[in-house]
Amino acid sequence: MTDIDGRLLLGPLVRYVDCDRATFWVETDRACTVAVQTRADSGETRRVEEPTWGLHGHHYALVAVEGLPPDTVVDYTVSIDGAEVWPAAGRRAVVHTQRADGPITVAFGSCRRGDTYSDEALTRIGADALVGMADRVRDQDSSLWPDLLVFLGDQVYADDPSPEIVDRLHARRAAGERAAGARSEDVEDEICDFEEYTWLYQESWGDIRVRELLATVPTCMILDDHDLRDDWNSSADWRAEVTRAPWWQDRVIGAFSSYWVYQHLGNLSPQELEEDEMYAAMRSATSDAEREKLLAEFALRADSEPSSARWSYHRDIGNTRLIMIDSRCSRDLTPERRAMVDDTEWAWVREKALTAETEHVLLGSSLPFLMLPGLHNIEQWNEAVAQGAWGRRAATVGEKLRIALDLEHWAAFDKSFADMVDLVDEVVTGPQAPRSLVWLSGDVHCSYVARAETRVPTSTALYQLTMSPFRNPLDLPIRAVNRLAIRRPVARVLERLARRAKVEPVHARWETEAGPWFDNGVMSLTTDSQALHLRVDHAAVADGRQTLRTTAEYDLTPSGARRR
């Protein structure tokens, strides 16, 4: 068998999976034909071949296999030009197709720094929750695996790469092999073009344990600020300043192009792939140069005209609809109508939420909808001041604070927060009200469970579940701020401050029922018909191995979280 670290550079990643279809993403080291062959317990086999397509000297394929049996563990192999390259010798590669209905388990989190697993790195940023999950999945029966692993942003840190990547950047700069914009001292230690973004993905997904996890458990992904740069699209002032930088255009092209290739394509179903005009153009292009030009134009347009590209998507799995919301790129930053998602994107979100015919609705957003109470109030106050509630001079200061303190979550887009509350009321009073509506989020480098209520009495369980980081813990001083933010006296003081800035009360209430936690970890939510089941796991190093340890388990009911 061919060495998996030779012609198969990355992958296979199992991406979209439903009852009878599965897609497999790979990166190879040359132009070739990739084949995926599946074998069910019945003995039925299927083989699908796809030629790779090239971009900036890299080669990719996304292979869609259809006609698989539902709710079945299916063995598969990956071959390149007829030579089997996955699984490794002595290993087994399988994918578990989805059931048509019934409960599912979604594992989720965000914020994972690519780095080594040296003693120094484990001390500095801790154990990796994905490595711990990989060990658990390898030892478990397939019936216990997550049905889906959701990456809620910041899979890569373009503005703060690992020491090893920084060394490679310096070597590339010294050799003169760099994007024109990288000549700026501002980004000497940052990722600046497509080639350098590929290093981040190789580092993040290259460990054999992580590779085997991603080759087994289906994944879906969404972008956040560190895919491009910290505080991306936090305000119009931020954009006005950063878009003048000489390195910005190269960074945008590299960020969007690589995100489209490595993360976005796999979010789409085979039917959506067939209908995607950019995917069709990339596959039919006659040269790498043509593809690079197409994707560069697409990237620049997606940044300057957010409605030209949709990164949001949805999946119906078992008894659950997952709606993944792009809460970063599709923002409207016009000061007088600032919104977390623009009108076009919000219309799409509403349509997917209101037409769900499932028992459970999950709204995936990299940024928490419901922040810890004190933080919500301070973000509301800040937006009102930045919008002029205390005068022009205070507005200037407020805008600077917005950027400096990362005050740019849903609470800092008051119109969008109110729109979401209104949407929830429509969903829970509709003819097909779900048993639960849950926000899944990351970003804030702490984890918590919050139960919510709106002005409409409902039997639908409403929860905010925030899990972050997979591997990138907060510094101690910021942990202290988060602990203060859940204290009622602190929240009340900050709420009064918001009212002094003429912020209207929100038509929702919520309380933190568990957490906050700050260690690297992952949450797993099972959408049972009677009650949601939540497991909170944190990563640790034990006997030289990175493992997951269960911190707590809860039943999430409409009346509250009950520890199991």
Side-chain angles (χ1 to χ4, degrees), residues 447-472:
S447 309
Y448 57 90
V449 177
R451 184 178 67 88
E453 297 176 352
T454 67
R455 62 192 144 190
V456 176
T458 178
S459 60
T460 299
L462 303 176
Y463 280 89
Q464 169 73 61
L465 303 181
T466 302
M467 171 48 77
S468 169
F470 281 135
R471 194 187 188 203
N472 192 11

PDB file of all heavy atoms in Angstrom, residues 447-472:
ATOM      1  N   SER A 447     -17.039  28.059  28.269  1.00  0.00           N
ATOM      2  CA  SER A 447     -18.171  27.201  27.942  1.00  0.00           C
ATOM      3  C   SER A 447     -19.237  27.342  29.014  1.00  0.00           C
ATOM      4  O   SER A 447     -18.916  27.461  30.198  1.00  0.00           O
ATOM      5  CB  SER A 447     -17.715  25.745  27.855  1.00  0.00           C
ATOM      6  OG  SER A 447     -16.580  25.626  27.011  1.00  0.00           O
ATOM      7  N   TYR A 448     -20.503  27.297  28.580  1.00  0.00           N
ATOM      8  CA  TYR A 448     -21.589  27.427  29.547  1.00  0.00           C
ATOM      9  C   TYR A 448     -22.900  26.961  28.933  1.00  0.00           C
ATOM     10  O   TYR A 448     -23.021  26.795  27.711  1.00  0.00           O
ATOM     11  CB  TYR A 448     -21.721  28.877  30.043  1.00  0.00           C
ATOM     12  CG  TYR A 448     -21.941  29.908  28.953  1.00  0.00           C
ATOM     13  CD1 TYR A 448     -23.210  30.269  28.529  1.00  0.00           C
ATOM     14  CD2 TYR A 448     -20.849  30.542  28.355  1.00  0.00           C
ATOM     15  CE1 TYR A 448     -23.409  31.218  27.537  1.00  0.00           C
ATOM     16  CE2 TYR A 448     -21.026  31.497  27.360  1.00  0.00           C
ATOM     17  CZ  TYR A 448     -22.311  31.825  26.960  1.00  0.00           C
ATOM     18  OH  TYR A 448     -22.497  32.770  25.980  1.00  0.00           O
ATOM     19  N   VAL A 449     -23.882  26.763  29.814  1.00  0.00           N
ATOM     20  CA  VAL A 449     -25.236  26.378  29.442  1.00  0.00           C
ATOM     21  C   VAL A 449     -26.176  27.452  29.958  1.00  0.00           C
ATOM     22  O   VAL A 449     -26.165  27.765  31.163  1.00  0.00           O
ATOM     23  CB  VAL A 449     -25.620  25.022  30.051  1.00  0.00           C
ATOM     24  CG1 VAL A 449     -27.068  24.663  29.714  1.00  0.00           C
ATOM     25  CG2 VAL A 449     -24.662  23.929  29.599  1.00  0.00           C
ATOM     26  N   ALA A 450     -26.977  28.050  29.090  1.00  0.00           N
ATOM     27  CA  ALA A 450     -27.944  29.064  29.500  1.00  0.00           C
ATOM     28  C   ALA A 450     -29.326  28.675  28.998  1.00  0.00           C
ATOM     29  O   ALA A 450     -29.485  28.304  27.833  1.00  0.00           O
ATOM     30  CB  ALA A 450     -27.563  30.440  28.960  1.00  0.00           C
ATOM     31  N   ARG A 451     -30.317  28.744  29.883  1.00  0.00           N
ATOM     32  CA  ARG A 451     -31.705  28.492  29.493  1.00  0.00           C
ATOM     33  C   ARG A 451     -32.417  29.823  29.285  1.00  0.00           C
ATOM     34  O   ARG A 451     -32.232  30.760  30.070  1.00  0.00           O
ATOM     35  CB  ARG A 451     -32.437  27.694  30.570  1.00  0.00           C
ATOM     36  CG  ARG A 451     -33.869  27.309  30.175  1.00  0.00           C
ATOM     37  CD  ARG A 451     -34.534  26.465  31.256  1.00  0.00           C
ATOM     38  NE  ARG A 451     -34.754  27.240  32.463  1.00  0.00           N
ATOM     39  CZ  ARG A 451     -35.839  27.966  32.707  1.00  0.00           C
ATOM     40  NH1 ARG A 451     -36.808  28.051  31.787  1.00  0.00           N
ATOM     41  NH2 ARG A 451     -35.976  28.618  33.841  1.00  0.00           N
ATOM     42  N   ALA A 452     -33.235  29.891  28.244  1.00  0.00           N
ATOM     43  CA  ALA A 452     -33.863  31.160  27.874  1.00  0.00           C
ATOM     44  C   ALA A 452     -35.382  31.068  27.907  1.00  0.00           C
ATOM     45  O   ALA A 452     -35.974  29.985  27.806  1.00  0.00           O
ATOM     46  CB  ALA A 452     -33.407  31.587  26.481  1.00  0.00           C
ATOM     47  N   GLU A 453     -36.003  32.229  28.035  1.00  0.00           N
ATOM     48  CA  GLU A 453     -37.446  32.395  27.888  1.00  0.00           C
ATOM     49  C   GLU A 453     -37.682  33.663  27.094  1.00  0.00           C
ATOM     50  O   GLU A 453     -36.936  34.637  27.216  1.00  0.00           O
ATOM     51  CB  GLU A 453     -38.137  32.525  29.250  1.00  0.00           C
ATOM     52  CG  GLU A 453     -38.021  31.308  30.136  1.00  0.00           C
ATOM     53  CD  GLU A 453     -38.643  31.550  31.504  1.00  0.00           C
ATOM     54  OE1 GLU A 453     -39.010  32.715  31.789  1.00  0.00           O
ATOM     55  OE2 GLU A 453     -38.764  30.587  32.270  1.00  0.00           O
ATOM     56  N   THR A 454     -38.726  33.662  26.274  1.00  0.00           N
ATOM     57  CA  THR A 454     -39.128  34.887  25.583  1.00  0.00           C
ATOM     58  C   THR A 454     -40.476  35.324  26.131  1.00  0.00           C
ATOM     59  O   THR A 454     -40.974  34.778  27.117  1.00  0.00           O
ATOM     60  CB  THR A 454     -39.198  34.681  24.066  1.00  0.00           C
ATOM     61  OG1 THR A 454     -40.266  33.791  23.759  1.00  0.00           O
ATOM     62  CG2 THR A 454     -37.889  34.113  23.531  1.00  0.00           C
ATOM     63  N   ARG A 455     -41.080  36.317  25.494  1.00  0.00           N
ATOM     64  CA  ARG A 455     -42.361  36.831  25.997  1.00  0.00           C
ATOM     65  C   ARG A 455     -43.512  35.879  25.716  1.00  0.00           C
ATOM     66  O   ARG A 455     -44.628  36.082  26.212  1.00  0.00           O
ATOM     67  CB  ARG A 455     -42.633  38.184  25.333  1.00  0.00           C
ATOM     68  CG  ARG A 455     -42.763  38.109  23.832  1.00  0.00           C
ATOM     69  CD  ARG A 455     -42.735  39.467  23.173  1.00  0.00           C
ATOM     70  NE  ARG A 455     -42.038  39.411  21.891  1.00  0.00           N
ATOM     71  CZ  ARG A 455     -41.687  40.460  21.189  1.00  0.00           C
ATOM     72  NH1 ARG A 455     -41.954  41.660  21.640  1.00  0.00           N
ATOM     73  NH2 ARG A 455     -41.043  40.332  20.047  1.00  0.00           N
ATOM     74  N   VAL A 456     -43.270  34.836  24.919  1.00  0.00           N
ATOM     75  CA  VAL A 456     -44.335  33.908  24.539  1.00  0.00           C
ATOM     76  C   VAL A 456     -44.214  32.635  25.375  1.00  0.00           C
ATOM     77  O   VAL A 456     -43.181  31.959  25.336  1.00  0.00           O
ATOM     78  CB  VAL A 456     -44.221  33.552  23.039  1.00  0.00           C
ATOM     79  CG1 VAL A 456     -45.270  32.503  22.663  1.00  0.00           C
ATOM     80  CG2 VAL A 456     -44.368  34.801  22.186  1.00  0.00           C
ATOM     81  N   PRO A 457     -45.242  32.280  26.152  1.00  0.00           N
ATOM     82  CA  PRO A 457     -45.203  31.003  26.873  1.00  0.00           C
ATOM     83  C   PRO A 457     -45.097  29.842  25.884  1.00  0.00           C
ATOM     84  O   PRO A 457     -45.781  29.819  24.862  1.00  0.00           O
ATOM     85  CB  PRO A 457     -46.551  30.971  27.617  1.00  0.00           C
ATOM     86  CG  PRO A 457     -47.004  32.395  27.659  1.00  0.00           C
ATOM     87  CD  PRO A 457     -46.487  33.035  26.401  1.00  0.00           C
ATOM     88  N   THR A 458     -44.213  28.901  26.172  1.00  0.00           N
ATOM     89  CA  THR A 458     -43.980  27.804  25.228  1.00  0.00           C
ATOM     90  C   THR A 458     -43.482  26.570  25.967  1.00  0.00           C
ATOM     91  O   THR A 458     -42.849  26.670  27.030  1.00  0.00           O
ATOM     92  CB  THR A 458     -42.951  28.211  24.156  1.00  0.00           C
ATOM     93  OG1 THR A 458     -42.712  27.108  23.281  1.00  0.00           O
ATOM     94  CG2 THR A 458     -41.621  28.614  24.784  1.00  0.00           C
ATOM     95  N   SER A 459     -43.763  25.411  25.388  1.00  0.00           N
ATOM     96  CA  SER A 459     -43.204  24.162  25.901  1.00  0.00           C
ATOM     97  C   SER A 459     -41.918  23.794  25.177  1.00  0.00           C
ATOM     98  O   SER A 459     -41.315  22.755  25.461  1.00  0.00           O
ATOM     99  CB  SER A 459     -44.227  23.030  25.749  1.00  0.00           C
ATOM    100  OG  SER A 459     -44.572  22.841  24.375  1.00  0.00           O
ATOM    101  N   THR A 460     -41.499  24.632  24.231  1.00  0.00           N
ATOM    102  CA  THR A 460     -40.236  24.404  23.524  1.00  0.00           C
ATOM    103  C   THR A 460     -39.070  24.770  24.427  1.00  0.00           C
ATOM    104  O   THR A 460     -39.029  25.871  24.986  1.00  0.00           O
ATOM    105  CB  THR A 460     -40.167  25.248  22.236  1.00  0.00           C
ATOM    106  OG1 THR A 460     -41.242  24.874  21.368  1.00  0.00           O
ATOM    107  CG2 THR A 460     -38.846  25.047  21.521  1.00  0.00           C
ATOM    108  N   ALA A 461     -38.122  23.861  24.585  1.00  0.00           N
ATOM    109  CA  ALA A 461     -36.929  24.139  25.388  1.00  0.00           C
ATOM    110  C   ALA A 461     -36.007  25.068  24.603  1.00  0.00           C
ATOM    111  O   ALA A 461     -35.665  24.785  23.451  1.00  0.00           O
ATOM    112  CB  ALA A 461     -36.199  22.842  25.722  1.00  0.00           C
ATOM    113  N   LEU A 462     -35.598  26.173  25.228  1.00  0.00           N
ATOM    114  CA  LEU A 462     -34.729  27.158  24.594  1.00  0.00           C
ATOM    115  C   LEU A 462     -33.410  27.220  25.354  1.00  0.00           C
ATOM    116  O   LEU A 462     -33.393  27.544  26.552  1.00  0.00           O
ATOM    117  CB  LEU A 462     -35.389  28.542  24.595  1.00  0.00           C
ATOM    118  CG  LEU A 462     -36.760  28.670  23.935  1.00  0.00           C
ATOM    119  CD1 LEU A 462     -37.301  30.082  24.112  1.00  0.00           C
ATOM    120  CD2 LEU A 462     -36.674  28.312  22.451  1.00  0.00           C
ATOM    121  N   TYR A 463     -32.308  26.928  24.664  1.00  0.00           N
ATOM    122  CA  TYR A 463     -31.002  26.903  25.326  1.00  0.00           C
ATOM    123  C   TYR A 463     -29.923  27.510  24.436  1.00  0.00           C
ATOM    124  O   TYR A 463     -29.963  27.366  23.203  1.00  0.00           O
ATOM    125  CB  TYR A 463     -30.586  25.468  25.676  1.00  0.00           C
ATOM    126  CG  TYR A 463     -31.236  24.933  26.924  1.00  0.00           C
ATOM    127  CD1 TYR A 463     -32.465  24.277  26.851  1.00  0.00           C
ATOM    128  CD2 TYR A 463     -30.640  25.103  28.167  1.00  0.00           C
ATOM    129  CE1 TYR A 463     -33.083  23.791  27.992  1.00  0.00           C
ATOM    130  CE2 TYR A 463     -31.247  24.611  29.318  1.00  0.00           C
ATOM    131  CZ  TYR A 463     -32.465  23.965  29.228  1.00  0.00           C
ATOM    132  OH  TYR A 463     -33.066  23.497  30.372  1.00  0.00           O
ATOM    133  N   GLN A 464     -28.981  28.157  25.092  1.00  0.00           N
ATOM    134  CA  GLN A 464     -27.709  28.547  24.478  1.00  0.00           C
ATOM    135  C   GLN A 464     -26.643  27.612  25.017  1.00  0.00           C
ATOM    136  O   GLN A 464     -26.422  27.537  26.231  1.00  0.00           O
ATOM    137  CB  GLN A 464     -27.353  29.991  24.836  1.00  0.00           C
ATOM    138  CG  GLN A 464     -25.924  30.406  24.463  1.00  0.00           C
ATOM    139  CD  GLN A 464     -25.732  30.592  22.986  1.00  0.00           C
ATOM    140  OE1 GLN A 464     -26.366  31.432  22.370  1.00  0.00           O
ATOM    141  NE2 GLN A 464     -24.834  29.807  22.399  1.00  0.00           N
ATOM    142  N   LEU A 465     -25.984  26.890  24.118  1.00  0.00           N
ATOM    143  CA  LEU A 465     -24.867  26.016  24.490  1.00  0.00           C
ATOM    144  C   LEU A 465     -23.616  26.569  23.833  1.00  0.00           C
ATOM    145  O   LEU A 465     -23.542  26.650  22.602  1.00  0.00           O
ATOM    146  CB  LEU A 465     -25.123  24.581  24.025  1.00  0.00           C
ATOM    147  CG  LEU A 465     -26.414  23.929  24.531  1.00  0.00           C
ATOM    148  CD1 LEU A 465     -26.520  22.506  24.008  1.00  0.00           C
ATOM    149  CD2 LEU A 465     -26.480  23.943  26.050  1.00  0.00           C
ATOM    150  N   THR A 466     -22.673  26.964  24.641  1.00  0.00           N
ATOM    151  CA  THR A 466     -21.436  27.556  24.134  1.00  0.00           C
ATOM    152  C   THR A 466     -20.267  26.681  24.556  1.00  0.00           C
ATOM    153  O   THR A 466     -20.091  26.405  25.747  1.00  0.00           O
ATOM    154  CB  THR A 466     -21.248  28.983  24.687  1.00  0.00           C
ATOM    155  OG1 THR A 466     -22.379  29.770  24.314  1.00  0.00           O
ATOM    156  CG2 THR A 466     -19.986  29.622  24.131  1.00  0.00           C
ATOM    157  N   MET A 467     -19.492  26.208  23.571  1.00  0.00           N
ATOM    158  CA  MET A 467     -18.311  25.387  23.864  1.00  0.00           C
ATOM    159  C   MET A 467     -17.109  25.943  23.123  1.00  0.00           C
ATOM    160  O   MET A 467     -17.087  25.968  21.888  1.00  0.00           O
ATOM    161  CB  MET A 467     -18.541  23.933  23.468  1.00  0.00           C
ATOM    162  CG  MET A 467     -17.277  23.062  23.536  1.00  0.00           C
ATOM    163  SD  MET A 467     -16.288  23.209  25.047  1.00  0.00           S
ATOM    164  CE  MET A 467     -17.225  22.242  26.214  1.00  0.00           C
ATOM    165  N   SER A 468     -16.162  26.406  23.869  1.00  0.00           N
ATOM    166  CA  SER A 468     -14.928  26.951  23.314  1.00  0.00           C
ATOM    167  C   SER A 468     -13.930  27.032  24.462  1.00  0.00           C
ATOM    168  O   SER A 468     -14.307  27.461  25.560  1.00  0.00           O
ATOM    169  CB  SER A 468     -15.207  28.349  22.742  1.00  0.00           C
ATOM    170  OG  SER A 468     -14.035  29.038  22.423  1.00  0.00           O
ATOM    171  N   PRO A 469     -12.701  26.592  24.262  1.00  0.00           N
ATOM    172  CA  PRO A 469     -12.075  26.197  23.000  1.00  0.00           C
ATOM    173  C   PRO A 469     -11.870  24.685  22.896  1.00  0.00           C
ATOM    174  O   PRO A 469     -11.876  23.975  23.891  1.00  0.00           O
ATOM    175  CB  PRO A 469     -10.708  26.870  23.125  1.00  0.00           C
ATOM    176  CG  PRO A 469     -10.377  26.705  24.601  1.00  0.00           C
ATOM    177  CD  PRO A 469     -11.697  26.822  25.326  1.00  0.00           C
ATOM    178  N   PHE A 470     -11.661  24.202  21.651  1.00  0.00           N
ATOM    179  CA  PHE A 470     -11.098  22.879  21.458  1.00  0.00           C
ATOM    180  C   PHE A 470      -9.663  22.856  22.011  1.00  0.00           C
ATOM    181  O   PHE A 470      -9.269  21.933  22.693  1.00  0.00           O
ATOM    182  CB  PHE A 470     -11.035  22.519  19.965  1.00  0.00           C
ATOM    183  CG  PHE A 470     -12.329  22.079  19.367  1.00  0.00           C
ATOM    184  CD1 PHE A 470     -12.737  22.578  18.146  1.00  0.00           C
ATOM    185  CD2 PHE A 470     -13.132  21.133  19.984  1.00  0.00           C
ATOM    186  CE1 PHE A 470     -13.918  22.161  17.553  1.00  0.00           C
ATOM    187  CE2 PHE A 470     -14.322  20.708  19.408  1.00  0.00           C
ATOM    188  CZ  PHE A 470     -14.713  21.227  18.184  1.00  0.00           C
ATOM    189  N   ARG A 471      -8.915  23.930  21.670  1.00  0.00           N
ATOM    190  CA  ARG A 471      -7.531  24.015  22.159  1.00  0.00           C
ATOM    191  C   ARG A 471      -7.020  25.448  21.998  1.00  0.00           C
ATOM    192  O   ARG A 471      -6.371  25.784  21.027  1.00  0.00           O
ATOM    193  CB  ARG A 471      -6.619  23.042  21.402  1.00  0.00           C
ATOM    194  CG  ARG A 471      -5.258  22.853  22.095  1.00  0.00           C
ATOM    195  CD  ARG A 471      -4.295  22.034  21.277  1.00  0.00           C
ATOM    196  NE  ARG A 471      -3.097  21.730  22.044  1.00  0.00           N
ATOM    197  CZ  ARG A 471      -1.918  21.432  21.522  1.00  0.00           C
ATOM    198  NH1 ARG A 471      -1.776  21.414  20.201  1.00  0.00           N
ATOM    199  NH2 ARG A 471      -0.881  21.171  22.294  1.00  0.00           N
ATOM    200  N   ASN A 472      -7.300  26.286  22.954  1.00  0.00           N
ATOM    201  CA  ASN A 472      -6.796  27.658  22.968  1.00  0.00           C
ATOM    202  C   ASN A 472      -7.351  28.373  24.202  1.00  0.00           C
ATOM    203  O   ASN A 472      -8.213  29.231  24.085  1.00  0.00           O
ATOM    204  CB  ASN A 472      -7.187  28.418  21.700  1.00  0.00           C
ATOM    205  CG  ASN A 472      -6.424  29.732  21.563  1.00  0.00           C
ATOM    206  OD1 ASN A 472      -5.471  29.995  22.289  1.00  0.00           O
ATOM    207  ND2 ASN A 472      -6.847  30.561  20.624  1.00  0.00           N
TER     208      ASN A 472
END
